[in-house]
Amino acid sequence: MIGNTNPGLLPFDISDYKGVRGKNFYLNDIILRDLTETEINETEHRLAVQQHLAGFGELTGGLLDELVEACHKEGKYGELVRFDRTGNRIDEIRYSYEQREVRRIAYEYGIVNLDFHPEWKFPFTMFHRMALAYLANLNGEAGYTCPLAMTDGMIRAIKALGTEEQKARYLPLIAGVGSSSHFMCGQYVTERVGGSNVAANRTIARNIGNGRWLLTGEKWFCSNPGDLWVTTARIEGTNVIGMFLVSRFRRDGSLNGCHLLRKKEIIGSRGKLTCEAVYEDCEAEELGRPGHGLVNLIKYVINTSRVHVAVAALGMGRRAVMEAVAYVSQREAYGQKVIMYPSVKKILSQMFVAQAAMTLVSFRNFFFSETGHAAAAVLTPLMKYISTTTATRICHEAMLLHGGNGILSDFSILPRLLNDSIINETWEGTHQIISEHVLSAWRRPKNRSALDTWLNEKLAQAPAALKSEVHSLRERIMADLREFEDAKSPACDEDRLFFCDRLYRLCAMAEVTDRLNLFSGTNRAAFYMALLRGVMELGRRDFHGRSERTGVFVPGEANSLLLHSILTEEL
């Protein structure tokens, strides 16, 4: 009876709050829906993709979201079991039932291997693959989206570099329908010495003939220990780093010479394990020409991972926006809904614009990557940096909009989402490393020419109402970038992150201009016009800078349109 008499226990504004669970994460995403409409030309193929994405959107908004939450609790994280009951070394990773179910459901849905499903009659395009990965990451890293990235990279590497025997042996295991290896591919590259500098690897590979090698050394970050992984080692007697394929078991069925020492206590991405390992005569197979190890590692493994890191950030940022909108729309403070306060409207609008813009530029890069467009050499590292940093900011802002409830892991996904996002910034190159890659790629004439051609073509099509404004901001950004053309300029060492931020602003402006033109004359045109104005304003000031009085982040028609889109998820 105490609940009926104690005023502190009476129902209140968020007594029945459930966040965004139960929504279809695809159908409620206007940007992703619009991309599906424009990126796939053939009608039957497009309808099939829309249906497939809608099905996965329902799973990520419902069952998968519930299972992921259940397996991200103390006592449910994976465990390293080094010995069996009689003392035999097994070096086995054991996951909870809920985590195994998450992996099984996603794998069997075909998010990494749909082209191996006989019932799928269309190309499994990069757009489709990345859209599925995007939706998966709305649940956070979830214990399988990092393994998804590594499995995708492994499939690509084996298809491109593997022998016919390797393809026949391993592709059915990691991609085949009915396989019990659900995203159990890993990467063992980093060592204690060198960190991101793979050329500093001390592990030695000794050739024993017939494409087989024995590895001796250690690996500091062994991501997703499982059935099969790629690794690197210095070829004995040389300074050449080779790339190798390693199975948990030798050909004779015995445990391979890779001993897992302990699991890493990482602040995020905790659903899948990362361990330390020692190689002691670990049997490996060459994957591609051993002398091309670093080149192949970057081309097939690292670049694939960087693309997945970027798309993971898009999904995490999107979920943070959704959670923030849902909470402030229901929560009350000082007599009105939190969303009614102008400062809250402003930050929500900015979060939405930032997430939408980085999503559009990233999916442009996915298209460039698939078609071999030279601009992808610049955009892949650029969007790895931009997307991850932006997602972390969005997750942080979403937590703050929740007040004290935002830091409670049993109330909201946001604490886990923020930690996953911070980890995501670190993978595949820290900001200082990745920015150097962006700048180096941008200076190459072929890449620069391809990127400039795309930028100039799209920006030249700016709407008449914004043409002078677009031209002015473009010239301002180009003036900032010119200083970086000279490799000897101090800015190239000191201000590379500034360079990346400015180059991205130009790319975002170009891509949203293109979307505006694609939807010209439709009911989407006003929305993309407001989005373009928002992108341009954020290109002129800091995220928390003073709003432009005639801009889209102050009360007015354009801001109302953005907020309507955010609140209803449809136009």
Side-chain angles (χ1 to χ4, degrees):
M1 296 299 293
I2 191 170
N4 295 329
T5 60
N6 187 333
L9 300 180
L10 294 175
F12 63 113
D13 56 349
I14 55 171
S15 292
D16 60 347
Y17 183 72
K18 296 182 177 61
V20 299
R21 181 172 293 162
K23 288 179 176 282
N24 185 308
F25 286 172
Y26 171 72
L27 295 180
N28 284 100
D29 193 322
I30 59 175
I31 297 294
L32 190 57
R33 292 202 322 265
D34 281 354
L35 281 165
T36 312
E37 284 288 339
T38 57
E39 294 303 301
I40 302 175
N41 295 322
E42 200 273 316
T43 302
E44 188 178 0
H45 183 192
R46 182 170 63 252
L47 291 174
V49 171
Q50 288 170 331
Q51 183 178 14
H52 194 249
L53 293 178
F56 197 58
E58 183 175 354
L59 282 171
T60 53
L63 177 59
L64 285 176
D65 198 51
E66 294 177 17
L67 288 170
V68 169
E69 180 181 316
C71 66
H72 281 74
K73 298 181 183 297
E74 292 303 324
K76 291 289 188 177
Y77 294 113
E79 301 218 351
L80 166 60
V81 181
R82 290 187 291 170
F83 300 93
D84 68 11
R85 67 179 67 187
T86 59
N88 297 308
R89 188 122 200 181
I90 57 175
D91 291 310
E92 181 176 291
I93 303 299
R94 292 180 183 169
Y95 288 110
S96 68
Y97 166 78
E98 292 87 351
Q99 175 60 217
R100 295 196 306 273
E101 273 296 279
V102 167
R103 292 189 179 213
R104 181 191 66 79
I105 291 167
Y107 180 88
E108 291 181 354
Y109 199 81
I111 71 170
V112 75
N113 62 341
L114 192 61
D115 49 337
F116 286 78
H117 288 221
E119 71 276 10
W120 184 256
K121 305 301 182 183
F122 305 97
F124 189 28
T125 64
M126 190 164 187
F127 166 79
H128 193 173
R129 286 163 45 220
M130 292 300 103
L132 289 164
Y134 170 97
L135 291 169
N137 280 281
L138 266 78
N139 297 141
E141 191 280 326
Y144 80 98
T145 65
C146 182
L148 161 66
M150 292 183 283
T151 302
D152 192 17
M154 179 76 81
I155 292 170
R156 290 192 66 228
I158 292 177
K159 282 182 175 180
L161 303 172
T163 64
E164 292 307 311
E165 181 186 2
Q166 287 172 330
K167 292 175 185 177
R169 177 186 294 271
Y170 296 121
L171 287 178
L173 172 70
I174 64 175
V177 173
S179 172
S180 60
S181 179
H182 304 143
F183 309 109
M184 291 306 290
C185 294
Q187 290 176 19
Y188 300 9
V189 175
T190 305
E191 298 184 3
R192 287 178 294 175
V193 173
S196 296
N197 180 12
V198 181
N201 274 187
R202 298 188 299 182
T203 295
I204 298 298
R206 178 165 58 89
N207 193 345
I208 58 174
N210 297 319
R212 296 168 61 223
W213 300 69
L214 291 180
L215 309 182
T216 302
E218 61 87 22
K219 293 295 173 180
W220 187 240
F221 280 98
C222 304
S223 295
N224 195 43
D227 299 319
L228 193 68
W229 61 91
V230 290
T231 194
T232 51
R234 185 178 305 280
I235 296 174
E236 188 176 41
T238 76
N239 288 321
V240 176
I241 300 296
M243 183 170 73
F244 302 92
L245 192 60
V246 184
S247 173
R248 184 170 170 235
F249 297 101
R250 294 189 175 99
R251 293 289 180 96
D252 63 8
S254 62
L255 188 68
N256 210 342
C258 173
H259 300 314
L260 301 178
L261 303 180
R262 61 175 177 170
K263 68 177 183 178
K264 296 287 194 182
E265 295 299 331
I266 303 176
I267 66 166
S269 190
R270 297 183 66 195
K272 70 98 176 71
L273 261 59
T274 298
C275 296
E276 299 166 20
V278 168
Y279 289 150
E280 295 178 349
D281 284 341
C282 182
E283 190 176 285
E285 304 172 30
E286 58 194 40
L287 185 56
R289 293 177 60 181
H292 292 179
L294 279 181
V295 172
N296 287 331
L297 178 75
I298 293 170
K299 183 176 182 180
Y300 295 105
V301 178
I302 301 300
N303 276 346
T304 300
S305 290
R306 283 178 175 172
V307 165
H308 273 275
V309 166
V311 82
L314 306 183
M316 293 175 194
R318 171 64 185 164
R319 179 65 181 269
V321 172
M322 293 174 69
E323 292 289 345
V325 171
Y327 187 77
V328 300
S329 297
Q330 188 166 335
R331 186 60 159 160
E332 295 178 4
Y334 304 103
Q336 63 179 339
K337 301 289 187 185
V338 173
I339 197 170
M340 297 309 296
Y341 290 96
S343 61
V344 173
K345 292 180 180 180
K346 174 184 174 180
I347 196 65
L348 276 180
S349 300
Q350 291 186 168
M351 290 164 63
F352 179 85
V353 167
Q355 197 279 334
M358 71 180 187
T359 298
L360 291 171
V361 178
S362 292
F363 272 89
R364 172 60 59 190
N365 182 50
F366 301 154
F367 174 77
F368 283 165
S369 297
E370 186 170 47
T371 57
H373 196 290
V378 180
L379 290 179
T380 296
L382 176 67
M383 294 314 299
K384 186 274 175 186
Y385 162 67
I386 292 294
S387 297
T388 57
T389 54
T390 304
T392 298
R393 163 166 268 176
I394 291 172
C395 290
H396 185 213
E397 296 291 351
M399 284 183 69
L400 293 175
L401 287 172
H402 280 67
N405 287 330
I407 60 174
L408 301 177
S409 60
D410 59 350
F411 182 88
S412 172
I413 188 179
L414 288 169
R416 175 164 58 84
L417 209 61
L418 179 61
N419 283 348
D420 287 352
S421 187
I422 292 170
I423 296 300
N424 208 34
E425 290 190 60
T426 305
W427 293 149
E428 307 308 348
T430 60
H431 304 330
Q432 288 71 27
I433 292 171
I434 210 81
S435 60
E436 195 279 329
H437 292 180
V438 176
L439 191 54
S440 295
W442 179 75
R443 283 211 199 91
R444 295 189 187 105
K446 179 182 177 182
N447 302 339
R448 175 79 181 275
S449 175
L451 183 62
D452 285 351
T453 298
W454 172 69
L455 288 170
N456 292 335
E457 176 188 341
K458 300 308 177 186
L459 292 173
Q461 299 170 7
L466 294 178
K467 191 171 286 289
S468 63
E469 195 175 340
V470 167
H471 176 76
S472 175
L473 182 55
R474 177 185 179 278
E475 289 303 305
R476 179 174 158 187
I477 293 175
M478 289 302 299
D480 290 334
L481 299 181
R482 287 189 191 102
E483 184 178 2
F484 294 86
E485 293 175 346
D486 180 4
K488 296 180 181 179
S489 169
C492 294
D493 288 325
E494 300 165 3
D495 299 315
R496 292 196 300 257
L497 297 182
F498 170 77
F499 167 83
C500 290
D501 288 332
R502 300 307 283 163
L503 181 60
Y504 167 69
R505 296 300 173 188
L506 205 58
C507 294
M509 193 162 58
E511 181 58 30
V512 179
T513 297
D514 187 48
R515 303 303 296 178
L516 172 58
N517 287 318
L518 282 172
F519 287 94
S520 177
T522 73
N523 64 341
R524 292 285 199 270
F527 164 73
Y528 282 105
M529 176 68 85
L531 187 61
L532 177 57
R533 291 177 60 196
V535 166
M536 293 172 66
E537 179 171 338
L538 291 179
R540 288 189 289 260
R541 64 169 175 83
D542 182 70
F543 197 79
H544 288 299
R546 178 177 294 177
S547 300
E548 297 175 359
R549 291 300 91 194
T550 57
V552 298
F553 300 119
V554 296
E557 183 178 346
N559 184 249
S560 296
L561 178 61
L562 277 180
L563 285 172
H564 175 73
S565 304
I566 296 168
L567 289 169
T568 64
E569 301 304 336
E570 57 188 74
L571 297 175

